[in-house]
Structures are given as structure tokens and as C-alpha cells.
Amino acid sequence: MTFSARSSGRRPKTAGDRLRRLLAIVPWIVANPGVELVQVAKRFGLSQEELIEDLNVVWMIGLPPYTPDALVEVIMEDGKVWIHYAEFFARPLRLSAAQGLALLASSEGLLSVPGSDPEGPLARALAKLAGAMGIDPDEVVDVELGAAEAGLLHELRHAADERTEVEIDYYSYGRDSRSTRRIAPWRVRSTEGAWYVEAWCHQAKDERVFRVDRIAALTRTGARSDHGPAEELSDSSTFRPHQDDPTVTLALQPEARWVVEAYPCTVLEEASDGVIRVSMVIAALPWLERLLLRLGPLVEVVDEGELAGARQLGKNAARRVLRRYEDSSCA
Amino acid sequence: MSKLERLLNLTAVLLDTPRPLTAEDLRRMVEGYPPPGPSFRRAFERDKDDLRELGIPLRVERVPATDPPIDGYRIPPEEYYLPDPGLERDELAALHLASMAVRLDGFGEQEALWKLGGFDGPETAPMAQSVASIPADPNLIPLFGAITSKGVVTFSYREAVRKVEPWRLDFLRGRWYLTGWDQGRGAQRQYRLDRIQGDVQLSESALVGEVRPSGLATGHRRAAWELGDEPPVIVRLLVDRRLAPSAAHYFDAEIARQDADEGVIFSVPVTNEAAFRSFVLGFLENAEVLDPPGVRSRIAQWLAALIDEEEGP
């Protein structure tokens, strides 16, 4: 489900969109008499021509009987603007629930980034805004973008901004292995509650996405990088299967339905007893092992596809893990 | 006479009036309407919809001393005007940056910033590119509205209808959660927004007035293994050295940890053993539950059952 971004347009066209903006611009000019038109245009993200066109409407506004003394007065002189007799538009329209939430969530989110200043301008703005809305922000909304060490995030951002390469000690969860990689980052971002760095990886000779909380150590190499993203940056899923990754078919009991929501997969069939058949691309074997161990009797590999031995995978993993429990269960 | 002009005049007249005005009053007072008849009524309906869509609090009230009663309209200024939060220039700039850096798309942040006075800072600030996008859930806005207006909501969750006093919203590990007082169950509960079935409805019922526990702010950090009704058990989990740093991210600061030869031992309070088992098995052979013995042996049994399982068809 997505929301339509009705008010995000740079060039509002409809009367409703222009009204939205005017109801914010007019109070601001009333409160800042004699402000320069170029300032107003910049502040509210429109061209001077558009601004003048909109202000030309404002001066037709007034109250009955619309005699000149009951009309709003707009004066534009020497590139400056004054608005008089607009008491009814002296304050902007209050924030909608969606707008209030959006500002609170963005601010809380950015303040949760390790290394942000808990007493800086953003924290003060958040407190004032919440105060105007009559709520205590700490008690109403909280946004955690993900755990990461402040120093590490800073280093990665620095590398992305400066286009320099770093060497990382990385634990790959999917492959359950640790390696040292030389990477050229271009973006650090948070998606689905965790921080990621998008980079060119010299070991893989390809683009890779690394989870920041799995980077154990980082060193600057000082080397410049001319690698950039092949495609346009997007907030797409962090999971990018390769074409030659194998596909398996799993049967999930109803209690394991969350798997469908949590991981990329294709639902093939939903039986009347609630059992769901899905096909999944398996980029790394340990990942499938974990899924099989965690779900236990709630999952069955019904078609190994190109992944020969997939049925045995869960059992073999269970044997390995069980070894850790054997000594003391005898005791 | 443009539509924009008519809407501006309509808003001005409705804000200025102390008493409700009828459609006919407005037709006469606001320039640009067609003569009485179906085309006026259509234009007036569209204008009302436009104002409401903008979030303008258009009230419908009975006009005093009319019989039969006639609907009148006005905009109460106290509901329309944004109280001035008194933002300093640097604070407004910080808000502007935050809304660019952390996006909740489609929620009208741009317009919200206009209302607060726009932004005149440099075009490209260091954080100006998006660093995070937060997924929007269709029920976020009604829930936030209910929290700020101290209302009660009803919704379907796990095939049952819940009546809840909403307290707070948390975005944690990529998901939105609601914490509130479940009136039917008489207890504090937490819900995942993506598991709410259908739409959240505002309920007419009154608040039970349950006292909100203070310090709820830490309650939201609860992990899956804390979201259960089982009596709490402290489980000691040994995580091998190389994975201990990533495991630590899952635990609150107050969870005790102790260095051992092989790795780090975390003492974790668990009220949902199945969820904790699932978490532990995610570490494969790189972690083990040390005690209590019951939890440890049940994990071993779970694994043994997987090995003994008959070969599937």
C-alpha cells in the first residue's frame, strides 16, 4: 500500500495545490513585511513569476461587500512585498496528523543516527514542534533507523563523500563467513531498520551491499575510487539475487506464513488447509540452513530445483549445531 | 474569477464569520458561483471537498432559529490556526534537513515545512540526500491522530477485534509497532502495524483512563522473545567471539554480558521461548544456550527431531 504524494509536486498545477501553498506564503509575508520577493520564492520553492502570479490572486481576496477597504492589500515595490488587511490569514493552517507525524518521525529518525547531537537544533526543533502539537515526543513516536557505531558510520560516509576506498573486516551472515574486503562506497543508508553501505567490492569485482553492523573493523586506504553505481540510486530491496542463484520450492505451514512477508519469494499455491508453496531464490546456503532450523517441522523442501541436496541441508545443519549440546545433555 | 480566488475568498469568509453561514449565504457573499440550482450545488460540494482535503477544519452546524433546520458552515479560527512553535532559523533548517534525509513518503512534509515558514538555507547541504526511507503504513495516520486526540480505536488483529487506547508508535528493526491499552484484555499490548487486518476505525467509546506507565519509552525496545506471556526466565547465551559484536546489537544495554574464552555470554530475560530459540538458531553452530537446563535441552530436542524426521515424499 502506498500513499499518493499529492503535495510533493515542485510545480503545483491545481487550484488546491496552489491554495495549499498560498495559505502558507501569505501568513509568512504578513509576519515579515517588506521581504524581498526573491527570498519568498526561494523559501517556498517556486519561481518569481509563479509567486507574482499567485500574489496577483491574493489581492482580489476580501470580505463582503468587497469595497476597496475590505480587500487584502498586496504591495510589490522594488522587488519587495507587503501584505496588509489579511488578518484572517495571519497564521498558517495547522499541521495535519500526517504532516505532524512525518516531521516527528523524520526528526526522531535522524536523531537516532549514532553521532547526532541530542541537544542540537534538530532536538530543539522537535521539542518545540511537539509542544505546539501538545504532545511529549518521547512518549508518542520513536524511530530507530538501526544500530551502528558512530565512528564507523562517519568513516563510511566520509569515504562515500570523498570517493575514497576503505578496507573492511566483514562478516557475511548469508554465507556465515568472515573476510577482508576492499570497497569503494558511494552511499550509506538505512533500510528496514538497519544501516547499509552500497559499494564497489574489489574482491567480488561487482556492486555489493554491506550491513554496517556486520563490519568489525575499518581502515582507510587513502586510494581514490572512480567506481560509481551502475544504475540510478534507489531505495530498492537490499537483496539482489544473481541470475545463476538456484531456486527451491518450500511448503510452509500456516504458522510459518511470516516467511512470505519477511523474505523475497513467489507464492506458487495456497492450499485450502493453509499450507503455502513458495519458490525462493537461494543466494547462500547458510541462509537456507537457518530458515530450515528455525522453522523445524513448519517447513518442508518439496522441490530441490537446481539446489541438489537441499532436503538434507537442514538435517546436516541440525547435526552440527546439536554437537554443541551433546556433552552436557549427557551430564 | 478563478477557482483559486473563489476558494481563497470562501476560506476567508468562513474564517471571519462568528456564526454558521448557509450555502445560499455563501453563494451571495463569495464571488464566482453560478446562480442557484444544480450547478451551484455541484460547485459548492466540490469546494467543500477541496477545503477538507487540504485539512481545513470546515464545521457543519445547524443555523440557529431555523425550522426545518438548515445546515450552516464555518471554520473555527482556533482550530484552523497553527500555534506558533517559535522555531529559530537553525531549528527550521534542521527540520528541513531531517525531512529530506529521512523520508516518510507521501505524508506531505513539504507542505508542513511551508506552514512553518519554508526554508531559505543552502540548496545542497551535506545530509541533503536521502539517508533513510521509512515505510508508510496506511494505518499510521489514523493511529497517530487517535494518539494525539486521546481517542480509542478498534481494529482486527489475529482474527479478533481489538479495542485499544493507543499510546505510542515505534519504528524498530524496519517495522512499525503500536503500544497501547487493550480494553478487552485489560492489559498493555504491542501490535505490529503490518499485521493489523483492514483499517483502523476511531471508536466512540471513552477512554478507560488506564494510567500509562511512565518510562514506556524503554518498553518499545522489546525483542520478539520478550513479547510473550511465559514467566520470565534468564537464559544465558554464549555467542562465539567473531559474532559477538553483531549479536550485541540485538540486546539492550542493560543485558548483562560477560567475557568467556570462546566468546561472550549474554544473560537474556525471555518470556517467549519459541521466539528465542528461533533467534539462537539463526547463529547456526556459532552460539549455544548454556542454561537453564530446561531451555537448553528443549533446543537439543528440537534439533534432534529435525534429524530424526522421516524423509519427505
Side-chain angles (χ1 to χ4, degrees):
Chain A
M1 187 102 182
T2 51
F3 285 86
S4 59
R6 192 172 283 118
S7 61
S8 70
R10 288 230 154 243
R11 295 277 180 275
K13 290 282 192 301
T14 69
D17 284 337
R18 288 172 73 195
L19 182 58
R20 252 174 234 283
R21 187 151 60 186
L22 267 181
L23 289 180
I25 292 177
V26 172
W28 196 80
I29 297 177
V30 169
N32 295 275
V35 67
E36 287 183 14
L37 282 165
V38 56
Q39 274 283 330
V40 182
K42 189 177 171 207
R43 210 167 242 281
F44 293 93
L46 70 179
S47 71
Q48 255 194 95
E49 294 71 35
E50 288 172 307
L51 175 64
I52 291 169
E53 195 185 325
D54 281 356
L55 290 176
N56 279 332
V57 174
V58 172
W59 73 16
M60 308 295 184
I61 307 309
L63 298 172
Y66 301 105
T67 48
D69 61 315
L71 286 177
V72 173
E73 186 178 73
V74 182
I75 300 168
M76 288 186 256
E77 241 176 51
D78 303 332
K80 294 180 180 165
V81 59
W82 290 260
I83 296 183
H84 302 299
Y85 313 116
E87 283 69 29
F88 34 82
F89 291 139
R91 290 289 310 146
L93 175 59
R94 66 183 175 160
L95 300 177
S96 68
Q99 291 164 355
L101 176 60
L103 287 182
L104 290 191
S106 294
S107 309
E108 292 271 4
L110 202 54
L111 285 170
S112 84
V113 176
S116 69
D117 181 356
E119 271 144 40
L122 184 57
R124 293 198 306 272
L126 177 63
K128 286 182 181 180
L129 201 58
M133 294 167 74
I135 55 173
D136 176 351
D138 293 340
E139 289 289 336
V140 172
V141 181
D142 196 18
V143 172
E144 293 282 334
L145 295 179
E149 279 170 50
L152 203 51
L153 270 185
H154 176 81
E155 283 296 320
L156 290 168
R157 275 216 200 94
H158 176 81
D161 291 345
E162 304 290 315
R163 284 292 157 92
T164 53
E165 297 185 347
V166 292
E167 199 171 82
I168 57 169
D169 181 358
Y170 188 68
Y171 169 68
S172 163
Y173 181 81
R175 290 177 173 71
D176 189 30
S177 66
R178 194 161 164 174
S179 59
T180 302
R181 289 155 182 265
R182 194 177 160 111
I183 63 167
W186 54 73
R187 185 159 86 150
V188 183
R189 65 180 164 90
S190 160
T191 305
E192 288 159 18
W195 285 97
Y196 296 87
V197 54
E198 295 171 10
W200 176 267
C201 174
H202 282 281
Q203 272 63 37
K205 295 194 171 47
D206 199 358
E207 294 178 30
R208 284 287 183 271
V209 179
F210 301 96
R211 254 183 83 144
V212 174
D213 62 358
R214 298 198 180 122
I215 298 176
L218 175 147
T219 32
R220 291 187 184 188
T221 67
R224 305 282 307 170
S225 160
D226 50 7
H227 288 289
E231 298 160 37
E232 198 164 314
L233 293 177
S234 73
D235 287 328
S236 61
S237 163
T238 50
F239 179 72
R240 292 189 196 157
H242 287 250
Q243 281 175 348
D244 43 358
D245 284 337
T247 301
V248 297
T249 306
L250 305 176
L252 300 167
Q253 294 296 316
E255 297 91 327
R257 193 189 174 90
W258 60 266
V259 172
V260 180
E261 300 162 14
Y263 303 114
C265 63
T266 311
V267 175
L268 302 174
E269 186 192 347
E270 258 189 272
S272 53
D273 56 359
V275 175
I276 308 165
R277 277 174 187 247
V278 297
S279 86
M280 257 185 188
V281 177
I282 307 299
L285 288 184
W287 186 87
L288 181 57
E289 287 181 343
R290 284 192 189 93
L291 190 68
L292 296 174
L293 286 193
R294 292 171 67 185
L295 292 176
L298 301 178
V299 64
E300 192 192 336
V301 179
V302 289
D303 187 349
E304 294 187 343
E306 307 111 74
L307 192 63
R311 281 208 182 87
Q312 287 300 317
L313 214 54
K315 288 185 190 204
N316 294 342
R319 281 195 193 94
R320 293 198 325 265
V321 182
L322 192 57
R323 252 174 244 139
R324 293 199 68 146
Y325 289 84
E326 273 162 356
D327 344 332
S328 71
S329 49
C330 305
Chain B
M1 169 71 53
S2 72
K3 178 166 186 188
L4 174 62
E5 205 178 314
R6 189 175 74 207
L7 286 172
L8 271 168
N9 265 322
L10 180 62
T11 308
V13 167
L14 288 168
L15 265 171
D16 188 64
T17 182
R19 59 182 180 85
L21 298 172
T22 66
E24 179 54 24
D25 292 337
L26 291 165
R27 192 191 62 77
R28 280 185 281 108
M29 292 168 80
V30 177
E31 277 184 69
Y33 278 121
S39 62
F40 162 67
R41 279 198 294 278
R42 274 197 304 276
F44 185 58
E45 287 305 315
R46 269 200 304 273
D47 285 0
K48 282 193 292 180
D49 288 346
D50 283 348
L51 295 193
R52 290 203 173 104
E53 195 170 300
L54 259 57
I56 291 177
L58 178 62
R59 295 280 162 253
V60 185
E61 293 164 2
R62 188 185 155 175
V63 177
T66 51
D67 188 25
I70 298 175
D71 279 346
Y73 304 89
R74 71 184 190 99
I75 299 172
E78 67 281 6
E79 286 178 39
Y80 176 98
Y81 294 131
L82 174 75
D84 187 359
L87 293 170
E88 302 290 336
R89 193 174 177 280
D90 62 336
E91 293 163 353
L92 195 52
L95 270 185
H96 192 87
L97 280 185
S99 72
M100 283 195 290
V102 181
R103 289 184 178 279
L104 225 113
D105 278 334
F107 275 46
E109 284 177 312
Q110 177 68 71
E111 191 192 347
L113 289 163
W114 289 340
K115 289 175 177 178
L116 294 170
F119 177 64
D120 65 347
E123 303 281 328
T124 50
M127 292 285 275
Q129 64 162 322
S130 158
V131 298
S133 61
I134 305 177
D137 186 286
N139 284 318
L140 266 179
I141 296 171
L143 285 172
F144 183 71
I147 290 171
T148 51
S149 64
K150 312 233 179 326
V152 178
V153 292
T154 57
F155 53 83
S156 291
Y157 195 83
R158 295 197 176 169
E159 314 304 332
V161 175
R162 316 284 178 135
K163 194 181 267 191
V164 175
E165 298 178 18
W167 286 340
R168 62 177 293 132
L169 292 163
D170 287 290
F171 181 73
L172 196 61
R173 297 192 192 95
R175 297 183 196 286
W176 281 103
Y177 295 87
L178 166 74
T179 307
W181 183 261
D182 189 319
Q183 291 188 341
R185 282 154 188 78
Q188 180 184 324
R189 284 284 188 274
Q190 197 166 39
Y191 311 91
R192 249 174 68 177
L193 261 61
D194 60 341
R195 294 210 169 138
I196 291 178
Q197 295 150 328
D199 291 338
V200 166
Q201 307 286 344
L202 264 177
S203 159
E204 295 297 312
S205 12
L207 294 177
V208 168
E210 183 61 34
V211 179
R212 233 176 109 126
S214 64
L216 196 61
T218 52
H220 70 278
R221 290 172 183 279
R222 295 189 309 169
W225 52 86
E226 291 175 290
L227 295 175
D229 297 327
E230 300 159 21
V233 179
I234 301 290
V235 179
R236 291 203 312 139
L237 175 71
L238 168 65
V239 181
D240 290 354
R241 184 152 310 286
R242 102 195 140 101
L243 292 198
S246 28
H249 287 301
Y250 290 93
F251 301 121
D252 279 353
E254 56 264 36
I255 299 249
R257 55 205 70 196
Q258 171 198 344
D259 278 320
D261 288 346
E262 313 95 300
V264 178
I265 298 169
F266 299 92
S267 298
V268 188
V270 172
T271 53
N272 183 339
E273 193 178 313
F276 193 68
R277 178 189 62 221
S278 181
F279 170 70
V280 172
L281 291 178
F283 289 97
L284 295 173
E285 65 268 44
N286 305 302
E288 74 180 275
V289 166
L290 300 177
D291 48 56
V295 178
R296 182 175 162 88
S297 70
R298 280 188 290 275
I299 289 195
Q301 283 160 20
W302 172 271
L303 291 166
L306 281 179
I307 297 166
D308 293 343
E309 214 175 87
E310 289 291 313
E311 198 69 43

PDB file of all heavy atoms in Angstrom, chain A residues 12 81 88 243 263 266:
ATOM      1  N   PRO A  12       3.095  23.005  -8.500  1.00  0.00           N
ATOM      2  CA  PRO A  12       1.680  22.730  -8.292  1.00  0.00           C
ATOM      3  C   PRO A  12       0.865  23.301  -9.436  1.00  0.00           C
ATOM      4  O   PRO A  12       1.128  24.397  -9.903  1.00  0.00           O
ATOM      5  CB  PRO A  12       1.352  23.453  -6.996  1.00  0.00           C
ATOM      6  CG  PRO A  12       2.646  23.743  -6.349  1.00  0.00           C
ATOM      7  CD  PRO A  12       3.655  23.847  -7.448  1.00  0.00           C
ATOM      8  N   VAL A  81       7.837  42.965  -0.984  1.00  0.00           N
ATOM      9  CA  VAL A  81       6.400  42.729  -0.917  1.00  0.00           C
ATOM     10  C   VAL A  81       5.868  42.942   0.501  1.00  0.00           C
ATOM     11  O   VAL A  81       6.535  42.629   1.488  1.00  0.00           O
ATOM     12  CB  VAL A  81       6.051  41.319  -1.455  1.00  0.00           C
ATOM     13  CG1 VAL A  81       6.764  40.230  -0.676  1.00  0.00           C
ATOM     14  CG2 VAL A  81       4.550  41.071  -1.424  1.00  0.00           C
ATOM     15  N   PHE A  88      -7.400  37.442   8.627  1.00  0.00           N
ATOM     16  CA  PHE A  88      -7.908  36.055   8.650  1.00  0.00           C
ATOM     17  C   PHE A  88      -6.850  35.057   8.179  1.00  0.00           C
ATOM     18  O   PHE A  88      -6.975  33.873   8.408  1.00  0.00           O
ATOM     19  CB  PHE A  88      -9.190  35.910   7.812  1.00  0.00           C
ATOM     20  CG  PHE A  88      -9.206  36.796   6.608  1.00  0.00           C
ATOM     21  CD1 PHE A  88      -8.564  36.438   5.444  1.00  0.00           C
ATOM     22  CD2 PHE A  88      -9.848  38.024   6.685  1.00  0.00           C
ATOM     23  CE1 PHE A  88      -8.562  37.269   4.353  1.00  0.00           C
ATOM     24  CE2 PHE A  88      -9.854  38.866   5.584  1.00  0.00           C
ATOM     25  CZ  PHE A  88      -9.202  38.493   4.403  1.00  0.00           C
ATOM     26  N   GLN A 243      21.522 -13.978 -11.310  1.00  0.00           N
ATOM     27  CA  GLN A 243      20.744 -14.782 -12.241  1.00  0.00           C
ATOM     28  C   GLN A 243      20.982 -16.270 -12.062  1.00  0.00           C
ATOM     29  O   GLN A 243      20.083 -17.074 -12.255  1.00  0.00           O
ATOM     30  CB  GLN A 243      21.097 -14.387 -13.673  1.00  0.00           C
ATOM     31  CG  GLN A 243      20.394 -13.110 -14.074  1.00  0.00           C
ATOM     32  CD  GLN A 243      20.832 -12.657 -15.446  1.00  0.00           C
ATOM     33  OE1 GLN A 243      21.795 -13.166 -15.992  1.00  0.00           O
ATOM     34  NE2 GLN A 243      20.114 -11.705 -15.991  1.00  0.00           N
ATOM     35  N   TYR A 263      10.649 -12.372   3.532  1.00  0.00           N
ATOM     36  CA  TYR A 263      11.704 -12.606   2.551  1.00  0.00           C
ATOM     37  C   TYR A 263      11.143 -12.559   1.136  1.00  0.00           C
ATOM     38  O   TYR A 263       9.987 -12.912   0.917  1.00  0.00           O
ATOM     39  CB  TYR A 263      12.370 -13.963   2.802  1.00  0.00           C
ATOM     40  CG  TYR A 263      12.934 -14.106   4.189  1.00  0.00           C
ATOM     41  CD1 TYR A 263      12.411 -15.027   5.087  1.00  0.00           C
ATOM     42  CD2 TYR A 263      13.981 -13.287   4.606  1.00  0.00           C
ATOM     43  CE1 TYR A 263      12.923 -15.154   6.372  1.00  0.00           C
ATOM     44  CE2 TYR A 263      14.501 -13.399   5.880  1.00  0.00           C
ATOM     45  CZ  TYR A 263      13.970 -14.338   6.764  1.00  0.00           C
ATOM     46  OH  TYR A 263      14.480 -14.438   8.021  1.00  0.00           O
ATOM     47  N   THR A 266       8.162 -16.104  -4.195  1.00  0.00           N
ATOM     48  CA  THR A 266       6.972 -16.117  -5.047  1.00  0.00           C
ATOM     49  C   THR A 266       6.011 -17.172  -4.521  1.00  0.00           C
ATOM     50  O   THR A 266       6.403 -18.326  -4.347  1.00  0.00           O
ATOM     51  CB  THR A 266       7.359 -16.484  -6.496  1.00  0.00           C
ATOM     52  OG1 THR A 266       8.470 -15.662  -6.867  1.00  0.00           O
ATOM     53  CG2 THR A 266       6.210 -16.258  -7.441  1.00  0.00           C
TER      54      THR A 266
END
